[in-house]
Amino acid sequence: MDTVDLRLVLGVADGAELPALAQRLGLGETAVRKRLRRLCGSGANPWLRRTGTDYHLTDRGRDALGAVGEAAAAGAAVCDLVGVDVLPMRHVRVVTAVLGSGSISGAARQLGLPQPSLSAQVTRIERRFGTELFQRTPGGVSAAPALVELLPHLRLLEKALSRLSATGMPDDDPTLPCDLEVVCEFGFAGLLDALREEAMVDVQQHIVSIPGPDWAPQMLSADICVYADLPLASLAVPAGWDTAVAFEEPAYVLLPPGVGVDGETVALRELAGHDWLTGPAGSRNHRSVLAVCRAAGFAPRVRFTALNGPSGRHILQEGAAVALTGATLIPAGAPRTVRLAEDVRVKVVVGWRPGGPATTTAGWLVRWLRGQHLRRLAERRPELLAELRADPAGWPGYAQD
């Protein structure tokens, strides 16, 4: 539940239809429709009901309308003061619980959350608000000046939420985060919008470089990490993290235009006489290429070490070297690609801290990445998709239901 949901209920009470609601809230119609369905299906006594394509207030919803208006007005005041568009009610509960208990550990016991998880949520809330809310001392926490300014509105919100809880307010599970940090080795088109509209999670996404064999500091400080697990150069998973493979695909080689290949695949040994393009020396891509080629019986002649970035794209476009990639992880402007004859696989992995607020979102992210990958294969390499699906023992991730 957040201030957008509150405004949505008020819009339904005004009789606004879906296009008008979407325009009023600054959201797409699909996102509004998902929120409406969630409000209709939340709890034993939901505020909204659906009749055909229309939405109406239930008796419970009409009883809640006054408190909804008060909460929406107080929430709007908080949003204006801290400069955000949306205020999740979970943030209000977290901040008031920490302030009321005088410590994060006390608030964690009150909310039934692990102390590290709540501490991370407080840090994210402060980062989102762009200001320090609590002054930390050895004996606990107290309100910082910014929180003192917000307190009158937060108290009004807290009072309204107490009234709403008696009217069947949709459940607000504190273990499901409303904002997360996701770091990715790649940019996935549509990921941010899908997380916000489908998973109902507000995220900050950062594209990071992972040069060495270990997790980068940005990965360790994030909630969820998405990265490539390269052949013979896997990243060691830090203690306290869980991982899941979103998808794996056969390795392909980027070939200069003039290189002839007999058949639909190329063996690594056939590339022994070519110059190679890899990531920087010591990077996972560099180490993976060295290990894969040595396993095939030769040491690759690595001439260029700028796989990502403008210079790497120029080298590929000029056909000055060969490089390894995945079936769908093709850099922009790359030349033709041919599948490796050897069984070399590239995996895309999602990592997260188990038991914390990222677990549910990480599971959703794995499913979304897998679905997007299958769609890309169906569009770009339908023959490969058919081949992988025909071998469920070798490629279980492609088995059809």
Side-chain angles (χ1 to χ4, degrees):
M1 173 66 67
D2 56 31
T3 48
V4 173
D5 291 326
L6 297 173
R7 293 170 59 199
L8 188 54
V9 172
L10 295 175
V12 171
D14 291 341
E17 296 182 351
L18 183 63
L21 289 171
Q23 184 175 10
R24 180 184 298 188
L25 298 173
L27 297 173
E29 291 188 17
T30 298
V32 173
R33 194 177 293 112
K34 289 178 182 293
R35 284 178 175 266
L36 288 168
R37 286 201 295 265
R38 180 165 53 84
L39 289 170
C40 286
S42 296
N45 299 293
W47 288 348
L48 301 183
R49 61 179 171 84
R50 181 182 178 185
T51 305
T53 58
D54 297 326
Y55 293 86
H56 309 279
L57 290 177
T58 62
D59 290 341
R60 285 279 188 173
R62 281 187 286 272
D63 291 342
L65 204 54
V68 169
E70 293 173 8
V78 173
C79 288
D80 288 342
L81 285 172
V82 298
V84 298
D85 295 328
V86 182
L87 176 66
M89 297 303 102
R90 191 178 303 109
H91 281 180
V92 178
R93 291 194 176 93
V94 165
V95 171
T96 55
V98 171
L99 186 62
S101 66
S103 70
I104 291 178
S105 59
R109 288 192 296 270
Q110 177 185 330
L111 296 173
L113 291 172
Q115 189 273 336
S117 173
L118 184 61
S119 180
Q121 288 193 44
V122 170
T123 299
R124 285 195 296 271
I125 293 170
E126 290 181 318
R127 187 184 303 126
R128 183 183 180 88
F129 285 7
T131 187
E132 183 184 54
L133 297 177
F134 298 101
Q135 294 175 334
R136 278 79 166 173
T137 67
V141 298
S142 59
L147 181 54
V148 172
E149 184 180 6
L150 294 175
L151 269 179
H153 306 291
L154 291 175
R155 295 302 187 201
L156 288 175
L157 254 176
E158 193 176 27
K159 184 177 179 180
L161 291 177
S162 178
R163 291 175 55 195
L164 289 174
S165 64
T167 65
M169 184 176 70
D171 293 336
D172 190 22
D173 184 351
T175 66
L176 297 179
C178 43
D179 63 312
L180 294 169
E181 278 198 23
V182 179
V183 296
C184 297
E185 190 173 0
F186 313 97
F188 293 95
L191 174 58
L192 288 178
D193 290 341
L195 279 165
R196 289 168 179 153
E197 296 187 6
E198 297 179 27
M200 298 297 177
V201 176
D202 191 12
V203 302
Q204 295 179 347
Q205 182 190 28
H206 306 283
I207 307 299
V208 298
S209 173
I210 312 172
D214 301 314
W215 282 37
Q218 301 99 315
M219 299 172 70
L220 292 170
S221 64
D223 299 293
I224 299 175
C225 305
V226 182
Y227 61 93
D229 191 28
L230 301 179
L232 302 182
S234 295
L235 281 175
V237 179
W241 283 76
D242 277 351
T243 61
V245 176
F247 62 87
E248 64 175 342
E249 59 183 11
Y252 274 63
V253 62
L254 301 162
L255 288 177
V259 176
V261 175
D262 296 328
E264 298 180 353
T265 62
V266 59
L268 280 165
R269 287 288 303 175
E270 298 178 56
L271 306 173
H274 291 279
D275 292 330
W276 283 77
L277 167 66
T278 72
S283 68
R284 287 174 310 129
N285 178 272
H286 180 84
R287 291 186 300 109
S288 178
V289 169
L290 291 179
V292 167
C293 291
R294 285 169 180 163
F298 71 98
R301 191 170 64 228
V302 178
R303 183 179 175 190
F304 306 101
T305 55
L307 183 59
N308 299 315
S311 58
R313 287 195 294 272
H314 177 73
I315 293 167
L316 292 173
Q317 289 166 356
E318 291 295 313
V322 299
L324 290 183
T325 186
T328 59
L329 302 173
I330 309 298
R336 65 195 179 109
T337 58
V338 178
R339 184 176 173 181
L340 280 181
E342 293 85 354
D343 185 11
V344 177
R345 305 184 182 195
V346 177
K347 301 176 182 178
V348 170
V349 177
V350 177
W352 71 95
R353 296 181 188 274
T359 300
T360 300
T361 302
W364 177 92
L365 184 54
V366 168
R367 294 189 296 273
W368 185 87
L369 288 170
R370 185 173 296 150
Q372 292 294 309
H373 174 66
L374 291 174
R375 278 189 282 276
R376 284 196 303 272
L377 272 184
E379 294 170 359
R380 303 176 187 178
R381 302 185 188 276
E383 72 292 339
L384 175 61
L385 178 58
E387 176 190 334
L388 300 180
R389 280 179 166 166
D391 183 15
W395 297 90
Y398 293 88
Q400 291 180 291
D401 297 331

